[in-house]
Amino acid sequence: MQKVYTKIDSIAGNVITVRASGIRNGDLAMVTSAHGESLANVIKLDREEVSLQVFSGARGISTGDKVRFLGVPMRISYSDDLLGRIFTGSGKPRDNGPELTENLIEIGGPAVNPAKRIIPRNMIRTGIPMIDVFNTLVESQKLPIFSVSGEPYNEVLARIAMQAEVDLIILGGMGLKFDDYLYFKNTLEKSGAMSRTIFFVHTASDPTVECLLVPDISLAVAERFALDGKKVLVLLSDMTNFADALKEIAITMEQVPSNRGYPGDLYSSLAARYEKAVDFEGAGSLTILAVTTMPGDDVTHPVPDNTGYITEGQFYLRHSRIEPFGSLSRLKQQVNSDTRDDHRALMDGMIKLYAAYTEALEKKSMGFQMSEWDDKLIKYGEMFENRLMDLSVNIPLEEALDLGWEILAACFEPKETGMRSELVLKHWPKEAS
Amino acid sequence: MAKKGGRVTGINGNMVTVEFDGDVSQNEVGFILLGDQRLKSEVIRISGKIASLQVFEMTGGISVGDEVEFSGLMLSVELGPGLLTQIYDGLQNPLPELAIECGFFLQRGVYLNPIPDKSWEFTPRVKVGDSVFPADTVGTVPEGIFTHRIMVPFYLAPSAWTVESIKPAGTYAVRDEIAVIKDSKGNKQSLSMVFPWPIKRPITQYLERLQPKEPLVTQIRIIDTFLPVAKGGTYCIPGPFGAGKTVLQHMTSRNADVDIVIIAACGERAGEVVETLKEFPELIDPKTGKTLMERTIIICNTSSMPVAAREASVYTAVTIAEYYRQMGLDILLLADSTSRWAQAMREMSGRLEEIPGEEAFPAYLESVIASFYERAGVVTLRDGSKGSVTIGGTVSPAGGNFEEPVTQATLKVVGAFHGLSRERSDARKYPAIDPLESWSKYPSVIDMAKVDYARSILFDGHEVSQMMKVVGEEGTSVEDYIIYLKGELLDQVYLQQNSFDDVDFAAPIERQQVVFDVLFKILGAKLQIEDKKTARSTINEIRQKFVDWNSVARNDERFEMYKNEIEELVGGQFVEYEGKAAKILQVK
Ligand SMILES: Nc1ncnc2c1ncn2[C@@H]1O[C@H](COP(=O)(O)OP(=O)(O)OP(=O)(O)O)[C@@H](O)[C@H]1O
Ligand SMILES: [Mg+2]
């Protein structure tokens, strides 16, 4: 049953309204204007008045344009034919390949029953000590990189993706700069990973509404592959653009903003996407690594703030390093009891000392006399930064742990570390003591 | 009552407007009929012939004109034996059963019996002709480690009812008739072991509410000693993301000295609930010898589950808590996070186009928060026994800033405040409760004079450390420097506690008392130390011993060894007790 309407009552932002009946919430429509065709979906119903957001934007749409309701919600084709392909946010090919129309699945489906979830158990090794030792990444984790623009967050994302042993990579790009898009594409091609990658890309020059669809479409596809037994890694860059698109639509719909113009349901909207990360018992898994750029380097900005409350930790990227403070993996304790017996103690102990180092540094910068203890801390902090924090370091976890002890031994007496004697005795490098 | 109905006139997010005939009441449950699905909703506003309903499900696919059925009932939970060990969503839908029926995903419109259809070993407590009131016990069934009281439904008229028939001892299905009672006019009422209660109405079937005084032991040192919680009291844990609210509540749910723990996972991560869900059936509660799950109920409406059900979830949890309180038990309700509940209200309020208050929260936010925490309390029941509901809620303030509506409204009503600090969690000082900012109105498990003295060392030590930032270490006297180090010591070996250490994760009261006594004598001692370097290395050495001490079990022979070693270590430098400390020690 496809109905066609030829009178658009109002156009505001990217939202149009038409008078129609028998229309279902969430359904798709095709809007045909002088500029071509665009999909739109129903976001609100009030008696006869149907509000739709137009995927390619409402610019240039006229009141006499044609709206044809399709009677189905937004869907995407699901099959192995997706592999190696590049699509827009609404699932249209961006490469020169054919359009896929077979085996359509719904996007934005229901949540996983918490009772069906399992405790995450597999560490993802990255070779980056700030991750492997201090903020261990775990399969099925949802975790963003918090960063200001200008930092190499996409490089870090790509590096982890290349290093991680996954079956499938899905890149959801939102407001992606064209250069970054090419960077991802080239990196994946060079490493031969392109054939197990799917791109859903919205670039900075594409219509906003398509940006809104990217996470849902990427995650719907990822979820299906995971159910079919694949280990899927979804990269989402940049979720702040997604949040801004949500803000735009909320303002158009005249919703009361809660905080700096963002809608009150920002938390729920972000959570609905991030919570798709899952490890299916007896099937595959879905891991989400995202980028959240922080406007004004302000972590209390509503987007990073709400994100931090949703995700299972975050990597705080600043000055091209993953910061020891602010960075966190909430799933690390699921895996770091089985790596090595000193992992946990070293992870906490070294950061505690690093915190003391920053205090000593402050003291130094104020021109105060440095005590012997302060000098030790300064030495320690610098070694920590150069030998463990630097992003160019690429070593396995075990080596990084050994290096940790080496640094401690080069700077401190065992009893100054605040760690359990038994452990210190066991791991303290022999030549140093 | 005739079946009332209506038709959908509009859909906006999870709010649906309905034109109805007949009478509809506020908070009544309605169902939107969508094909063969029935989507549960609650009336939240009535205006003329239009009712606004919040839908507890996703609203995709609903269209204008769809039929709506009103139930005539307020949103309620089912109460009866079999609630323990259950895992429910915010509307009391049993999630494991749902998984059996629907698989990996939550399917909308599927509502299963909250109380499992099971048989119980019933023992009557009344006989024919006895007079009973609502909430009186007519019999009991053993539910795991508890004696579950089968009570006269709370919703019946608060007058004397006469027992007309009662089943003899035996095994009955939970929904079988076990008794018939009648009121003075001869109206008969059949009783089974289950009955409903509307979640937004407190259960007030008690004689008297008492002052919460008895400590609720959490086995977390900083809480029990410095910032105690009382049975029947309320407390809140605000903190920025990642500061440790959930870990703190998780540890409390494991170790707290109460009969039953109800965990309300409200709008947070599903993964966190899974840990509890998978761990608790394996963990043995040393107090009962049974698994922790047997004293636990989980209400789980995580962040990607429907928002309206999230709003309901805290009420579902507190209603079940009150129900078990009626059996003379001590219940602890842990809600994580109350901010998500407040946000659910905000989302709805926005859709209703109500005039927004601060940060767009509704104007009634404060009163709603206050009346939720009011449902905690210690009470004397009609049979003279005592029961309590303690409520601990986390708060997730936007930007980690406590000057926001939910934190502020909560602080006005709770009895203890455990504020987490970003600075402490960054430095991995867990639990990251800020010992200087936080407070409690409840009594400690340790002599208050000693606690106050220790707290003053913390404050003074902090002051010295602030001073040092201005004048440097060189401008600080050795005495002040020692106070600073003592503060640090107290923080590092007592306030901080490693939740992931097999021994340190739980500190029983007796252990806290022993350790605190040793520590107190160090804090109160004047030590023979000439310079700062020696001071630091002495305190380091003491600290090291404490760290090792904290990680050996109470029954380990090294426990006494470390204690003696520490005392010896201090003894070497001991001069005398500082005035105030001496006085406290003499009194003892
Ligand atoms: N007591 C503790 N001991 C050791 N580690 C801890 C402790 N508390 C918290 N952590 C660490 O911090 C992480 C975050 O803690 P938690 O999940 O409790 O934060 P939260 O305050 O609940 O955050 P959110 O508001 O985002 O839910 C944990 O996963 C753990 O790694
Ligand atoms: Mg939490």
Side-chain angles (χ1 to χ4, degrees), chain B residues 432-453:
Chain B
I433 299 175
D434 188 330
L436 304 176
E437 297 287 320
S438 304
W439 48 260
S440 165
K441 297 178 185 164
Y442 303 119
S444 169
V445 297
I446 293 201
D447 177 9
M448 281 312 277
K450 286 185 179 174
V451 174
D452 287 340
Y453 184 85

mmCIF file of all heavy atoms in Angstrom, chain B residues 432-453:
data_model
loop_
_atom_site.group_PDB
_atom_site.id
_atom_site.type_symbol
_atom_site.label_atom_id
_atom_site.label_comp_id
_atom_site.label_asym_id
_atom_site.label_seq_id
_atom_site.Cartn_x
_atom_site.Cartn_y
_atom_site.Cartn_z
ATOM 1 N N ALA B 432 36.950 6.108 45.990
ATOM 2 C CA ALA B 432 37.305 7.522 45.816
ATOM 3 C C ALA B 432 36.389 8.480 46.580
ATOM 4 O O ALA B 432 36.169 9.606 46.168
ATOM 5 C CB ALA B 432 37.324 7.847 44.333
ATOM 6 N N ILE B 433 35.859 8.033 47.710
ATOM 7 C CA ILE B 433 35.013 8.906 48.527
ATOM 8 C C ILE B 433 35.882 10.014 49.110
ATOM 9 O O ILE B 433 36.930 9.743 49.693
ATOM 10 C CB ILE B 433 34.367 8.110 49.681
ATOM 11 C CG1 ILE B 433 33.483 7.001 49.119
ATOM 12 C CG2 ILE B 433 33.574 9.029 50.604
ATOM 13 C CD1 ILE B 433 32.903 6.079 50.184
ATOM 14 N N ASP B 434 35.450 11.240 48.917
ATOM 15 C CA ASP B 434 36.216 12.369 49.437
ATOM 16 C C ASP B 434 36.003 12.453 50.950
ATOM 17 O O ASP B 434 34.904 12.764 51.407
ATOM 18 C CB ASP B 434 35.730 13.658 48.764
ATOM 19 C CG ASP B 434 36.613 14.829 49.104
ATOM 20 O OD1 ASP B 434 37.192 14.820 50.215
ATOM 21 O OD2 ASP B 434 36.732 15.746 48.274
ATOM 22 N N PRO B 435 37.063 12.170 51.741
ATOM 23 C CA PRO B 435 36.852 12.083 53.188
ATOM 24 C C PRO B 435 36.622 13.463 53.827
ATOM 25 O O PRO B 435 36.097 13.545 54.928
ATOM 26 C CB PRO B 435 38.157 11.462 53.703
ATOM 27 C CG PRO B 435 39.168 11.770 52.660
ATOM 28 C CD PRO B 435 38.448 11.919 51.351
ATOM 29 N N LEU B 436 37.004 14.510 53.116
ATOM 30 C CA LEU B 436 36.858 15.841 53.709
ATOM 31 C C LEU B 436 35.488 16.435 53.432
ATOM 32 O O LEU B 436 34.917 17.135 54.258
ATOM 33 C CB LEU B 436 37.949 16.779 53.173
ATOM 34 C CG LEU B 436 39.390 16.293 53.363
ATOM 35 C CD1 LEU B 436 40.376 17.240 52.708
ATOM 36 C CD2 LEU B 436 39.708 16.146 54.850
ATOM 37 N N GLU B 437 34.940 16.148 52.263
ATOM 38 C CA GLU B 437 33.665 16.751 51.872
ATOM 39 C C GLU B 437 32.461 15.931 52.341
ATOM 40 O O GLU B 437 31.386 16.471 52.563
ATOM 41 C CB GLU B 437 33.584 16.836 50.340
ATOM 42 C CG GLU B 437 34.631 17.722 49.697
ATOM 43 C CD GLU B 437 34.347 19.184 49.944
ATOM 44 O OE1 GLU B 437 33.165 19.569 49.889
ATOM 45 O OE2 GLU B 437 35.308 19.927 50.226
ATOM 46 N N SER B 438 32.638 14.636 52.440
ATOM 47 C CA SER B 438 31.493 13.772 52.712
ATOM 48 C C SER B 438 31.062 13.861 54.176
ATOM 49 O O SER B 438 31.837 14.264 55.030
ATOM 50 C CB SER B 438 31.851 12.325 52.369
ATOM 51 O OG SER B 438 32.282 12.249 51.034
ATOM 52 N N TRP B 439 29.847 13.453 54.452
ATOM 53 C CA TRP B 439 29.366 13.479 55.830
ATOM 54 C C TRP B 439 28.334 12.385 56.069
ATOM 55 O O TRP B 439 27.799 11.813 55.121
ATOM 56 C CB TRP B 439 28.762 14.841 56.196
ATOM 57 C CG TRP B 439 27.790 15.404 55.200
ATOM 58 C CD1 TRP B 439 28.065 16.362 54.267
ATOM 59 C CD2 TRP B 439 26.397 15.053 55.007
ATOM 60 N NE1 TRP B 439 26.945 16.636 53.507
ATOM 61 C CE2 TRP B 439 25.906 15.858 53.943
ATOM 62 C CE3 TRP B 439 25.530 14.162 55.622
ATOM 63 C CZ2 TRP B 439 24.584 15.776 53.489
ATOM 64 C CZ3 TRP B 439 24.217 14.072 55.171
ATOM 65 C CH2 TRP B 439 23.756 14.885 54.122
ATOM 66 N N SER B 440 28.102 12.127 57.360
ATOM 67 C CA SER B 440 27.052 11.184 57.721
ATOM 68 C C SER B 440 26.449 11.619 59.041
ATOM 69 O O SER B 440 27.144 12.125 59.913
ATOM 70 C CB SER B 440 27.620 9.778 57.860
ATOM 71 O OG SER B 440 26.690 8.969 58.542
ATOM 72 N N LYS B 441 25.150 11.402 59.169
ATOM 73 C CA LYS B 441 24.484 11.763 60.421
ATOM 74 C C LYS B 441 24.303 10.543 61.319
ATOM 75 O O LYS B 441 23.668 10.616 62.359
ATOM 76 C CB LYS B 441 23.105 12.353 60.126
ATOM 77 C CG LYS B 441 23.159 13.645 59.340
ATOM 78 C CD LYS B 441 21.745 14.132 59.039
ATOM 79 C CE LYS B 441 21.778 15.356 58.143
ATOM 80 N NZ LYS B 441 20.459 15.607 57.533
ATOM 81 N N TYR B 442 24.821 9.408 60.883
ATOM 82 C CA TYR B 442 24.583 8.171 61.629
ATOM 83 C C TYR B 442 25.799 7.807 62.485
ATOM 84 O O TYR B 442 26.922 8.209 62.188
ATOM 85 C CB TYR B 442 24.262 7.036 60.663
ATOM 86 C CG TYR B 442 23.087 7.333 59.770
ATOM 87 C CD1 TYR B 442 23.237 7.385 58.386
ATOM 88 C CD2 TYR B 442 21.819 7.586 60.307
ATOM 89 C CE1 TYR B 442 22.152 7.659 57.558
ATOM 90 C CE2 TYR B 442 20.737 7.871 59.483
ATOM 91 C CZ TYR B 442 20.910 7.907 58.111
ATOM 92 O OH TYR B 442 19.848 8.182 57.303
ATOM 93 N N PRO B 443 25.581 7.010 63.545
ATOM 94 C CA PRO B 443 26.689 6.648 64.440
ATOM 95 C C PRO B 443 27.646 5.621 63.832
ATOM 96 O O PRO B 443 27.228 4.753 63.074
ATOM 97 C CB PRO B 443 25.981 6.060 65.665
ATOM 98 C CG PRO B 443 24.637 5.636 65.193
ATOM 99 C CD PRO B 443 24.282 6.513 64.041
ATOM 100 N N SER B 444 28.927 5.754 64.189
ATOM 101 C CA SER B 444 29.967 4.865 63.670
ATOM 102 C C SER B 444 30.063 3.597 64.493
ATOM 103 O O SER B 444 29.542 3.513 65.599
ATOM 104 C CB SER B 444 31.306 5.601 63.704
ATOM 105 O OG SER B 444 32.363 4.714 63.457
ATOM 106 N N VAL B 445 30.758 2.600 63.934
ATOM 107 C CA VAL B 445 30.975 1.356 64.674
ATOM 108 C C VAL B 445 32.181 1.504 65.594
ATOM 109 O O VAL B 445 32.499 0.602 66.362
ATOM 110 C CB VAL B 445 31.223 0.167 63.725
ATOM 111 C CG1 VAL B 445 30.008 -0.075 62.880
ATOM 112 C CG2 VAL B 445 32.452 0.401 62.851
ATOM 113 N N ILE B 446 32.857 2.637 65.485
ATOM 114 C CA ILE B 446 34.050 2.865 66.290
ATOM 115 C C ILE B 446 33.811 4.082 67.163
ATOM 116 O O ILE B 446 33.062 4.993 66.785
ATOM 117 C CB ILE B 446 35.266 3.042 65.352
ATOM 118 C CG1 ILE B 446 35.506 1.709 64.656
ATOM 119 C CG2 ILE B 446 36.494 3.565 66.098
ATOM 120 C CD1 ILE B 446 36.829 1.443 64.090
ATOM 121 N N ASP B 447 34.439 4.085 68.324
ATOM 122 C CA ASP B 447 34.317 5.172 69.276
ATOM 123 C C ASP B 447 34.413 6.539 68.579
ATOM 124 O O ASP B 447 35.408 6.857 67.935
ATOM 125 C CB ASP B 447 35.465 4.988 70.291
ATOM 126 C CG ASP B 447 35.481 6.114 71.300
ATOM 127 O OD1 ASP B 447 34.525 6.912 71.321
ATOM 128 O OD2 ASP B 447 36.473 6.178 72.064
ATOM 129 N N MET B 448 33.361 7.328 68.711
ATOM 130 C CA MET B 448 33.289 8.590 67.980
ATOM 131 C C MET B 448 34.452 9.532 68.300
ATOM 132 O O MET B 448 34.923 10.264 67.430
ATOM 133 C CB MET B 448 31.962 9.308 68.272
ATOM 134 C CG MET B 448 30.779 8.763 67.504
ATOM 135 S SD MET B 448 31.109 8.542 65.736
ATOM 136 C CE MET B 448 30.830 10.201 65.135
ATOM 137 N N ALA B 449 34.902 9.514 69.550
ATOM 138 C CA ALA B 449 35.988 10.428 69.924
ATOM 139 C C ALA B 449 37.238 10.110 69.109
ATOM 140 O O ALA B 449 37.925 11.002 68.603
ATOM 141 C CB ALA B 449 36.277 10.293 71.413
ATOM 142 N N LYS B 450 37.486 8.818 68.951
ATOM 143 C CA LYS B 450 38.662 8.420 68.178
ATOM 144 C C LYS B 450 38.498 8.789 66.707
ATOM 145 O O LYS B 450 39.439 9.241 66.056
ATOM 146 C CB LYS B 450 38.887 6.905 68.304
ATOM 147 C CG LYS B 450 39.431 6.492 69.639
ATOM 148 C CD LYS B 450 39.731 5.013 69.623
ATOM 149 C CE LYS B 450 40.313 4.585 70.959
ATOM 150 N NZ LYS B 450 40.481 3.140 71.025
ATOM 151 N N VAL B 451 37.304 8.560 66.213
ATOM 152 C CA VAL B 451 37.059 8.867 64.811
ATOM 153 C C VAL B 451 37.238 10.363 64.559
ATOM 154 O O VAL B 451 37.872 10.777 63.592
ATOM 155 C CB VAL B 451 35.646 8.422 64.400
ATOM 156 C CG1 VAL B 451 35.321 8.878 62.987
ATOM 157 C CG2 VAL B 451 35.521 6.912 64.500
ATOM 158 N N ASP B 452 36.694 11.158 65.468
ATOM 159 C CA ASP B 452 36.827 12.609 65.304
ATOM 160 C C ASP B 452 38.287 13.036 65.340
ATOM 161 O O ASP B 452 38.708 13.907 64.586
ATOM 162 C CB ASP B 452 36.036 13.347 66.390
ATOM 163 C CG ASP B 452 34.542 13.247 66.132
ATOM 164 O OD1 ASP B 452 34.163 12.959 64.969
ATOM 165 O OD2 ASP B 452 33.753 13.440 67.081
ATOM 166 N N TYR B 453 39.022 12.399 66.223
ATOM 167 C CA TYR B 453 40.440 12.739 66.323
ATOM 168 C C TYR B 453 41.150 12.406 65.011
ATOM 169 O O TYR B 453 41.894 13.213 64.456
ATOM 170 C CB TYR B 453 41.085 11.967 67.474
ATOM 171 C CG TYR B 453 42.536 12.354 67.705
ATOM 172 C CD1 TYR B 453 42.846 13.458 68.505
ATOM 173 C CD2 TYR B 453 43.564 11.634 67.123
ATOM 174 C CE1 TYR B 453 44.160 13.832 68.706
ATOM 175 C CE2 TYR B 453 44.889 11.999 67.312
ATOM 176 C CZ TYR B 453 45.191 13.096 68.120
ATOM 177 O OH TYR B 453 46.493 13.464 68.301
#
